Amino acid sequence: MIDLYYWPTPNGHKITLFLEEAGLDYKIFPVNISAGDQFKPEFLAFSPNNRMPAIIDHDPADSGAAITVFESGAILQYLAEKTGKFLPTDVRAKKTVMEWLFWQMGGLGPMAGQNHHFGTYAPEKIPYAINRYVNETNRLYGVLNKRLEGRDFIGGDDYTIADMACYPWVVSHEKQQQDLNDFPNLKRWFETIRSRPATIAAYKAAEPYSSTPAVTEEGKKILFGQSSKSKT
């Protein structure tokens, strides 16, 4: 039913988390981002930002032609609305979940991503950049920790796409130089999601691709050297 164009990164894991939780049939089409697969014309045809994940839904709700969706947040919203799962229908509750989904897309993901880049991949270790993004990641962890005070999940009592969006970005907390013991509500939430059967299954689905280095030296030129005029 769902073709998933995927690589085992936090954004990729978001989608397998949903698919496993919802019990949807899906097939993984690996997009090796370090090898430049994301620039192949057939992928760019439906993922114009040359980023994975992206999906092709061969059985859309309107029974029409296959639907393609790119951008992980848009995919989560699309799948939630398609299945009627993990996104409240009540206007106020849905608003809250969407706020936190966009918080992840605009904050936690980009800031933790820059944290990874300057702390792990950058050829020159720039203390200002490292401190900037480690501190901002820490601040965002604090925001999420406060949100989870007295709540099982980000949206409230129920597990939603907001949790699925945030969880994979917290998996690498040690690489981000964050100690979950400093964030007890976040740590409790993290451990709860980590033990869910669907979470275990989603990360198991990543295993065939996880043995490939996430970023090679040659891959850095592909991943970090792009501009609007770049050719691949």
Side-chain angles (χ1 to χ4, degrees), residues 4-40:
L4 170 61
Y5 290 77
Y6 164 93
W7 201 242
T9 70
N11 287 332
H13 292 313
K14 294 178 191 177
I15 312 308
T16 50
L17 284 172
F18 187 100
L19 294 168
E20 291 291 342
E21 288 282 356
L24 291 176
D25 292 330
Y26 69 98
K27 181 179 180 181
I28 288 177
F29 291 80
V31 180
N32 186 336
I33 58 176
S34 198
D37 288 354
Q38 68 272 35
F39 299 107
K40 291 181 177 178

Side-chain angles (χ1 to χ4, degrees), residues 142-157:
V143 171
L144 191 52
N145 185 69
K146 184 175 181 180
R147 172 64 191 173
L148 288 164
E149 185 175 356
R151 296 181 176 88
D152 290 336
F153 298 105
I154 295 172
D157 294 333

